[in-house]
């Protein structure tokens, strides 16, 4: 009788773990699909902040089991783009400024290497702050406020910021293996931003 109970309990264990494993795979697949949506929505050059904001909000809905799909993503993207394109433009301006600093460093200008290094670090910080702002974006939120608060979190939560940088590093690595892989991996970066913000909120 005891042996029968042990066998029964042992046989029931896989049945309990299968749905959990399937749920994890479903979330992973959703991240990859979201990465494709983000990549397509970012083709407008200055639309990448709105694309990430919409992608992150889609992942938050999915993890909260609130449904949502491409239609909701598109609606969030349009809403975030109303002021988000200005953030995208500012981001490109910062990238150009850093490129000029790096060129100055290569030209041998006195103090150029230090200025170039500081510029690169500042750009990385801005990218992280932008992702953290996108991770908490909601319709009606002001990008300026989101970015100001995200900048403080970027400094006060270095561990979380490092995790986002590590997630971003996966994108070029994936592109190095196979260029198309970088597209779905963008969804993993969005998921990392969601996880970092949740971690910060509950710590």
């Amino acid at each position: 009788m005891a042996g029968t109970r042990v066998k029964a309990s042992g046989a029931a264990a896989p049945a309990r773990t299968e749905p959990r494993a399937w749920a994890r795979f479903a979330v992973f697949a959703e991240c990859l699909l979201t990465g494709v949506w983000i990549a397509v929505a970012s083709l407008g050059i200055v639309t990448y902040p709105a694309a990430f904001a919409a992608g992150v909000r889609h992942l938050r809905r999915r993890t909260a089991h609130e449904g949502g799909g491409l239609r909701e993503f598109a609606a969030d993207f349009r809403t975030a783009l109303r002021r988000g394109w200005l953030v995208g433009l500012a981001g490109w301006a910062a990238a150009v400024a850093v490129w000029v600093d790096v060129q100055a460093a290569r030209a041998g200008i006195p103090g150029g290497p230090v200025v170039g290094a500081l510029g690169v670090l500042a750009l990385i910080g801005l990218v992280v702050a932008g992702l953290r702002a996108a991770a908490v974006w909601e319709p009606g939120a002001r990008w300026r406020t989101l970015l100001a608060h995200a900048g403080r979190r970027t400094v006060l939560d270095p561990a979380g910021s490092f995790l986002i940088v590590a997630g971003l590093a996966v994108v070029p690595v994936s592109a190095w293996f196979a260029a198309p892989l970088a597209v779905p991996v963008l969804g993993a970066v969005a998921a990392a931003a969601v996880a970092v913000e949740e971690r910060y909120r509950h710590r």
Side-chain angles (χ1 to χ4, degrees), residues 34 61 79 106 126 137 140 150 153 178 203:
T34 303
R61 279 195 299 263
T79 302
R106 290 181 175 180
L126 288 174
W137 177 86
R153 294 195 301 275
R203 72 175 187 174

Side-chain angles (χ1 to χ4, degrees), residues 166-193:
L168 286 169
V170 174
V171 176
V173 171
S174 301
W176 181 75
F177 280 107
L181 286 179
V183 173
V185 167
L186 291 174
V189 176

Side-chain angles (χ1 to χ4, degrees), residues 19-73:
R20 184 178 302 174
W22 175 254
R24 290 172 180 170
F25 177 78
V27 171
F28 174 71
E30 197 69 40
C31 288
L32 299 183
L33 176 61
T34 303
V36 176
W37 293 353
I38 291 173
V40 172
S42 298
L43 292 177
I45 307 301
V46 296
T47 58
Y48 61 92
F52 267 98
V56 167
R57 192 157 189 259
H58 169 72
L59 290 178
R60 291 207 311 266
R61 279 195 299 263
R62 282 302 194 185
T63 54
H65 306 289
E66 296 176 356
L70 182 57
R71 182 176 299 178
E72 288 79 5
F73 172 88

Side-chain angles (χ1 to χ4, degrees), residues 104-172:
R106 290 181 175 180
I109 295 177
V114 175
V115 173
L118 291 176
V120 171
L121 290 176
L123 181 61
I124 293 174
L126 288 174
V127 171
V128 172
L131 286 175
R132 298 191 74 146
V136 296
W137 177 86
E138 294 285 348
R142 299 184 61 181
W143 278 101
R144 181 179 298 180
T145 303
L146 291 176
L147 288 169
H149 292 166
R152 285 194 287 271
R153 294 195 301 275
T154 299
V155 175
L156 296 177
D157 181 27
S161 298
F162 176 78
L163 289 175
I164 293 178
V165 172
L168 286 169
V170 174
V171 176

